[in-house]
Amino acid sequence: AQTVTQSQPEMSVQEAETVTLSCTYDTSENNYYLFWYKQPPSRQMILVIRQEAYKQQNATENRFSVNFQKAAKSFSLKISDSQLGDTAMYFCAFMKHGGATNKLIFGTGTLLAVQP
Amino acid sequence: GAVVSQHPSRVICKSGTSVKIECRSLDFQATTMFWYRQFPKKSLMLMATSNEGSKATYEQGVEKDKFLINHASLTLSTLTVTSAHPEDSSFYICSAAGGSGRTETQYFGPGTRLLVL
């Protein structure tokens, strides 16, 4: 069975600075997807970034980028130029390759607070 | 693109009554929809997976007769909490997958807060 571990329950960063959130996972699959979702106080889950395991290039979305280390089974999220609106719970998630019916396996989340 | 709506956003009901929650994909056809439950400051717990036109697949420990799921079309799934009790009070979130180009990516609705008195 796949598992996702987020070892940082809470983190804090100053506005405009950079922060990295950790995520490790365990799987015997070779093809899969990894995701970071953000859940702000409104509780709306928002897709931040998506990585396909067969792609060696790290995914980036504006200020958000990942460091995907397949051999180490690590998938960290870097937020650059942190903004107050980045304050949220961040969930790392794993999904086996194979279509829309596959389940997301979530980590326990990291609560990020951006300080003014 | 990839917008999912949920209705209602908040509902209060009396113990013993049934409550229906709707989940709609507004700008794409969702071959699969998922229903989650989330407790405060916790991760999402998958309840069931539904595919259009077929019976839902429930996770272990989820009572299928209590949480009725219907996926009548490619844009609508409903979750009915039957004979609700206070312990069913929670935050329920749906997600939809199957949008073009990223069929495996789940997009989430804004959630429904259920309070059973």
Side-chain angles (χ1 to χ4, degrees), chain A residues 4-16:
Chain A
V4 177
T5 302
Q6 292 180 252
S7 58
Q8 305 151 315
E10 295 185 21
M11 293 192 72
S12 181
V13 64
Q14 292 294 123
E15 199 174 4

Side-chain angles (χ1 to χ4, degrees), chain A residues 6-77:
Chain A
Q6 292 180 252
S7 58
Q8 305 151 315
E10 295 185 21
M11 293 192 72
S12 181
V13 64
Q14 292 294 123
E15 199 174 4
E17 295 192 345
T18 296
V19 64
T20 298
L21 308 184
S22 302
C23 174
T24 57
Y25 58 95
D26 188 25
T27 185
S28 58
E29 302 285 332
N30 190 47
N31 291 328
Y32 49 87
Y33 301 95
L34 294 163
F35 304 85
W36 279 98
Y37 283 92
K38 162 185 176 180
Q39 189 178 39
S42 67
R43 301 189 79 174
Q44 166 78 63
M45 291 283 284
I46 301 166
L47 176 66
V48 175
I49 205 163
R50 169 183 177 273
Q51 175 81 41
E52 297 164 31
Y54 69 87
K55 289 187 177 179
Q56 293 187 338
Q57 186 173 8
N58 289 325
T60 62
E61 288 287 344
N62 301 312
R63 297 183 294 108
F64 299 88
S65 61
V66 297
N67 183 0
F68 173 48
Q69 301 288 329
K70 191 172 183 180
K73 296 179 182 175
S74 171
F75 184 61
S76 61
L77 175 70

Side-chain angles (χ1 to χ4, degrees), chain A residues 33 35 37 39 42-45 47 50 61 89 91 95 99-104 106-108, chain B residues 31-32 34 36 38 42-44 46 51 59 91 93 97 102-106 108-110 113:
Chain A
Y33 301 95
F35 304 85
Y37 283 92
Q39 189 178 39
S42 67
R43 301 189 79 174
Q44 166 78 63
M45 291 283 284
L47 176 66
R50 169 183 177 273
E61 288 287 344
M89 180 74 88
F91 292 100
M95 177 189 286
T101 57
N102 286 338
K103 305 174 192 177
L104 276 170
F106 285 98
T108 51
Chain B
T31 53
T32 308
F34 302 83
Y36 296 85
Q38 187 180 32
K42 296 291 186 183
S43 189
L44 279 68
L46 180 64
N51 292 292
E59 294 299 299
F91 191 66
I93 309 176
R102 290 189 170 187
T103 56
E104 73 296 323
T105 300
Q106 291 185 28
F108 286 81
R113 193 179 307 272

